[in-house]
Amino acid sequence: MKRWIAIALLVVAACGSDEADPPATEPEEVSFPSGFLWGSASAGFQVEKGLGNTDWGKWVKTPGKIKDGEDPDVGGADALAHIAEDVALLKASGQNSYRFSVEWARVYPTRAAFDADQPDAAAIAAYDELFAALRAAQITPFVTLQHFTLPDYFSDPSKPEEPQGWERPEIIDAFAAWCGRAAARWGGAVDWWATINEPMVAPVAGYIQGAFPPGLLLAVPRALLAGKNEARAHAKCYDAVKAADTIDADGDGKTSLVGIVQHQRAVEPEDPDYPDDVAAADRVRYVNNMWILNAVVRGDWDDDFDGNLDGPNDKKGDPALAGRSDYLGINYYSALWASVNGIQVPVINAGIKQDRLLNDRPKTDFHWDIYPEGFRIILDEVKGFGLPIVITENGIADSRDVNRARFLLEHLYELGKAQADGFDIRGYFYWSLLDNFEWASGYCPRFGLHTVDRATAARAARPSAQVYARVAASGKVTKKEIDALPPYVPPAPCD
Ligand code: IFM
């Protein structure tokens, strides 16, 4: 059915009805429990320098791959040289937790060093300094073990025809070894571990959309292989961290909480009245939001990604995978449209759009919809797993800081309502602490609560950092304060 006919029918139905539903009452205030993690997130490659020995380090040097040829080694935040300053920013903006990654390739710069377990002394010293500074400031570290980058001795985008990173079978045990060693070294400082950040994003962006290394288009079988190996690597990493980290870092009775971090989109059919688009959205939602969680929580292995467990290589409740997430790390930003029009991704048989969606929602500088209500949609999808949830990322590209306060409060309000409705949400990490290197988009989108001067690396708080500080201090968001904020204004895209 065409969209306008459907709208007309809805209008007629509404006019003809005598009994309108009473408007749903929205709480005046939502609140979060004490002990809630209030933090922000970052990732090594996006804020550190000197990671040229990674797949991304090579990729950024490849002409044409990054907007304006930008490179984190030039004009970046250089976070490991600004540890005290960044910890002070966390403190000043009321945060009690910080999510960041420790970089495998920094700690083991070469394959020989990795094989011999000879970590780089300067890398260890830098991360030790960060852990010590966080401890002194009573800020809980939340540590990601892999955030998109892989050492170049496992992933070399200059040879895209060869199996890359997650496609290579040996990466599974190698990654588990890295996880175990990191957990043994820093387990005394860390209780919260995240294994792999956004395991579905890297294969989709790298093998289907061509925006991440190895830069292939529609190479779906290779993408799916990478995704499968990430699921297996996550499970082995989980076991390795559990075995190596038996220290309760903060004395709360828990030694290590290990989880996976998923990027969930509120997946919608481009035309909700067109059954083929509705079916396409169901397929995309399943592959993007559910496939890997089914695998590592329930052990349900859908080898051919067809949505059932009837295939010859499918498995129900595989003990090598099941039960490998103590919490679900959820990154939520926005909506995604699926349709049977446009370029179709084979196997999934759908076209996907996440930028410039043609609807009335306000947009970010990155052309993503601002869609706080979508938070509840993606939370409802994962409720059945029965696990605690940590919002490991949520944020807005907003260089002028004109929409961030409203974005933040509206999303936290939705989260607070979900919590009141029984969701067990343990923390919220705003993306990001600082403006940083946004992968293929370079320094263009500005997600930070703090700006970073490209010439001097000097940081400065944006006004929204104080809005966040106020919420973290009170543990509350009220409708009144949201209503008092100016409405969203049109974005200022940088591209
Ligand atoms: O910057 C990224 C981050 O690395 C992973 N999650 C989404 C963020 C914004 O695109």
Side-chain angles (χ1 to χ4, degrees):
M1 191 189 310
K2 287 272 177 255
R3 200 190 299 252
W4 66 266
I5 303 181
I7 292 168
L9 287 176
L10 278 175
V11 170
V12 170
C15 295
S17 139
D18 300 334
E19 294 168 39
D21 283 339
T25 48
E26 296 279 283
E28 273 313 313
E29 176 181 291
V30 297
S31 60
F32 297 86
S34 72
F36 194 79
L37 299 173
W38 292 106
S40 55
S42 72
F45 195 78
Q46 295 181 268
V47 293
E48 294 174 15
K49 289 188 174 177
L51 287 166
N53 62 333
T54 59
D55 47 4
W56 268 93
K58 291 213 152 65
W59 187 245
V60 297
K61 303 276 187 237
T62 314
K65 299 304 183 192
I66 309 296
K67 182 177 181 320
D68 299 334
E70 284 172 329
D71 179 336
D73 280 350
V74 183
D78 200 6
L80 293 178
H82 294 83
I83 289 175
E85 214 175 321
D86 289 347
V87 171
L89 297 179
L90 287 160
K91 222 42 203 169
S93 50
Q95 303 182 47
N96 61 22
S97 191
Y98 181 43
R99 175 175 173 235
F100 59 96
S101 67
V102 286
E103 289 293 306
W104 182 357
R106 182 180 297 289
V107 177
Y108 295 105
T110 63
R111 181 70 196 256
F114 179 65
D115 289 347
D117 191 8
Q118 282 174 344
D120 181 79
I124 299 296
Y127 290 130
D128 281 352
E129 185 188 335
L130 175 55
F131 282 117
L134 291 171
R135 183 181 281 266
Q138 295 180 302
I139 292 174
T140 301
F142 196 109
V143 176
T144 309
L145 290 157
Q146 200 266 343
H147 194 121
F148 292 161
T149 50
L150 285 170
D152 61 2
Y153 44 90
F154 285 116
S155 203
D156 179 357
S158 66
K159 299 177 191 142
E161 63 293 346
E162 291 180 4
Q164 300 289 310
W166 292 118
E167 289 175 88
R168 293 168 61 166
E170 72 269 29
I171 193 98
I172 297 173
D173 286 336
F175 181 59
W178 156 240
C179 294
R181 292 176 197 172
R185 183 167 293 279
W186 291 302
V190 183
D191 285 339
W192 290 94
W193 296 96
T195 56
I196 303 177
N197 181 73
E198 301 182 349
M200 302 314 283
V201 169
V204 169
Y207 296 88
I208 295 176
Q209 297 168 331
F212 279 22
L216 304 176
L217 292 173
L218 298 178
V220 175
R222 289 182 65 180
L224 297 183
L225 174 62
K228 287 182 198 178
N229 282 343
E230 284 181 289
R232 294 194 170 105
H234 159 83
K236 286 204 165 185
C237 174
Y238 176 98
D239 292 345
V241 173
K242 287 287 185 186
D245 175 9
T246 53
I247 303 173
D248 177 3
D250 58 8
D252 70 352
K254 291 180 227 76
T255 52
S256 59
L257 295 157
V258 187
I260 198 155
V261 168
Q262 266 280 93
H263 187 130
Q264 305 293 68
R265 288 259 162 181
V267 180
E268 301 172 328
E270 180 163 353
D271 182 346
D273 302 313
Y274 185 40
D276 288 354
D277 279 4
V278 173
D282 289 344
R283 290 192 295 276
V284 171
R285 188 178 305 112
Y286 170 72
V287 172
N288 190 71
N289 291 4
M290 306 307 286
W291 183 90
I292 205 160
L293 295 182
N294 288 338
V296 303
V297 179
R298 300 193 169 121
D300 288 351
W301 184 257
D302 177 10
D303 197 72
D304 48 15
F305 289 79
D306 68 352
N308 65 55
L309 296 179
D310 298 345
N313 299 316
D314 294 353
K315 263 191 185 166
K316 183 142 190 64
D318 182 348
L321 291 163
R324 296 315 201 286
S325 223
D326 300 328
Y327 67 90
L328 300 179
I330 300 292
N331 295 353
Y332 172 69
Y333 288 86
S334 189
L336 177 154
W337 275 3
S339 84
V340 290
N341 296 317
I343 298 172
Q344 298 290 293
V345 178
V347 183
I348 303 164
N349 297 323
I352 295 169
K353 270 189 223 159
Q354 62 181 27
D355 303 338
R356 303 176 170 86
L357 302 183
L358 295 176
N359 57 29
D360 294 338
R361 290 180 194 139
K363 304 281 188 265
T364 73
D365 290 357
F366 212 19
H367 308 288
W368 291 353
D369 281 9
I370 297 177
Y371 185 32
E373 300 79 12
F375 228 148
R376 185 52 176 267
I377 294 170
I378 57 106
L379 289 173
D380 281 338
E381 285 168 13
V382 300
K383 196 170 192 180
F385 292 113
L387 289 172
I389 290 169
V390 178
I391 304 306
T392 33
E393 288 179 29
N394 172 242
I396 178 172
D398 176 19
S399 61
R400 300 163 301 166
D401 207 40
V402 285
N403 291 324
R404 187 170 283 104
R406 178 172 276 277
F407 177 99
L408 196 52
L409 295 189
E410 287 187 352
H411 283 78
L412 285 168
Y413 181 75
E414 288 301 318
L415 203 61
K417 282 196 296 182
Q419 176 137 298
D421 290 345
F423 283 88
D424 177 5
I425 299 163
R426 303 285 174 91
Y428 173 89
F429 290 83
Y430 177 79
W431 181 271
S432 183
L433 175 66
L434 306 169
D435 283 345
N436 60 51
F437 182 80
E438 177 59 31
W439 310 108
S441 302
Y443 286 101
C444 165
R446 306 289 167 100
F447 281 92
L449 289 173
H450 302 90
T451 59
V452 177
D453 184 295
R454 298 285 316 279
T456 62
R459 281 85 161 131
R462 290 198 164 99
S464 52
Q466 277 317 302
V467 175
Y468 192 35
R470 217 177 51 238
V471 177
S474 68
K476 290 183 177 31
V477 177
T478 63
K479 256 186 99 51
K480 207 167 145 201
E481 66 185 314
I482 298 177
D483 293 343
L485 287 168
Y488 289 115
V489 301
C494 46
D495 51 356

